[in-house]
Amino acid sequence: KNEVEQSPQNLTAQEGEFITINCSYSVGISALHWLQQHPGGGIVSLFMLSSGKKKHGRLIATINIQEKHSSLHITASHPRDSAVYICAVLPLTGGGADGLTFGKGTHLIIQP
Amino acid sequence: AAGVIQSPRHLIKEKRETATLKCYPIPRHDTVYWYQQGPGQDPQFLISFYEKMQSDKGSIPDRFSAQQFSDYHSELNMSSLELGDSALYFCASSVRTSGSLYNEQFFGPGTRLTVL
């Protein structure tokens, strides 16, 4: 069983819809990243959070440490939001330079 | 703003050859991470360095080695290449801040390695 589970794996929606992507993890973590990857492209960090909620433009990320769950929301979705969204966690260890553990990503397609 | 730079962006090698990938972190970042993403796979952590010392080790094969230099750039050396080494190799960097347990990682564009 993966330490980081995302749902849904694939999501197709119409432009303007409100999008929610979920991430559950089974280990203690120091922080959680939400990342965006376009096909064949690099990875962009959207958020890093360890508690509460963060907002950037049309993107909102929330995390519930007790429930080991995080969500990424996209409001007023647009075709340019089409990408793979990846949840990655930093396991709770003593080091400050530890590698991330990734979920398998959610493939999002926003149709015009 | 300056980002993480990786070179080369694309690399084609034959089996059993060697390859060297380079990563230049964001200025003033002291930590570098290497990740491998196979076709259709999620990224896997390979290794990280902080202040030129190995910090954390993931699923890096024995055929691979890496180091961080005095200017904080890092190189991933890959020997006896196998077909299965074909992947996108990402480098990320971060800066350790006093009192912080975790540091946001910023990713480079990746190097796409193809082994024929």
Side-chain angles (χ1 to χ4, degrees), chain A residues 3-5 23-35 63 70 86-92 98-103, chain B residues 35 105:
Chain A
E3 292 179 332
V4 182
E5 297 277 356
C23 174
S24 296
Y25 50 91
S26 57
V27 297
I29 68 168
S30 297
L32 181 145
H33 280 64
W34 279 105
L35 308 167
I63 189 168
S70 176
I86 304 171
C87 170
V89 301
L90 185 64
L92 189 62
D98 294 341
L100 297 172
T101 298
F102 294 77
Chain B
Y35 296 92
Q105 297 182 26

Side-chain angles (χ1 to χ4, degrees), chain A residues 34-96:
Chain A
W34 279 105
L35 308 167
Q36 181 193 57
Q37 185 174 32
H38 286 280
I43 292 176
V44 175
S45 178
L46 300 175
F47 295 103
M48 186 187 75
L49 64 166
S50 58
S51 65
K53 174 180 175 179
K54 284 190 177 181
K55 184 177 189 294
H56 184 243
R58 294 181 295 105
L59 301 177
I60 303 167
T62 64
I63 189 168
N64 185 318
I65 293 293
Q66 287 73 30
E67 294 186 2
K68 292 187 166 62
H69 181 269
S70 176
S71 293
L72 176 69
H73 306 285
I74 305 175
T75 61
S77 59
H78 190 277
R80 64 174 175 265
D81 297 327
S82 299
V84 177
Y85 292 84
I86 304 171
C87 170
V89 301
L90 185 64
L92 189 62
T93 64

Side-chain angles (χ1 to χ4, degrees), chain B residues 33-106:
Chain B
Y33 313 77
W34 285 99
Y35 296 92
Q36 177 193 56
Q37 185 178 30
Q41 304 294 313
D42 47 302
Q44 297 291 320
F45 170 66
L46 294 178
I47 195 167
S48 64
F49 292 87
Y50 167 67
E51 283 291 345
K52 292 150 278 185
M53 299 286 289
Q54 182 181 309
S55 181
D56 190 20
K57 193 172 182 181
S59 52
I60 185 169
D62 292 340
R63 299 176 290 107
F64 294 6
S65 65
Q67 58 182 320
Q68 187 180 29
F69 294 85
S70 58
D71 64 351
Y72 295 103
H73 94 272
S74 178
E75 295 183 4
L76 178 65
N77 299 294
M78 311 159 73
S79 63
S80 302
L81 287 169
E82 302 173 357
L83 296 178
D85 296 328
S86 294
L88 194 53
Y89 289 84
F90 286 105
C91 168
S93 74
S94 68
V95 58
R96 184 171 291 192
T97 54
S98 175
S100 175
L101 291 176
Y102 46 87
N103 313 290
E104 185 170 6
Q105 297 182 26
F106 297 85

Side-chain angles (χ1 to χ4, degrees), chain A residues 7-8 10-22 34 58-62 71-79 81-83 85 106-111:
Chain A
S7 64
N10 298 283
L11 177 58
T12 300
Q14 295 298 311
E15 182 174 358
E17 287 189 37
F18 181 82
I19 304 298
T20 296
I21 300 171
N22 296 299
W34 279 105
R58 294 181 295 105
L59 301 177
I60 303 167
T62 64
S71 293
L72 176 69
H73 306 285
I74 305 175
T75 61
S77 59
H78 190 277
D81 297 327
S82 299
Y85 292 84
T106 294
H107 293 248
L108 174 66
I109 297 173
I110 303 296
Q111 295 178 335

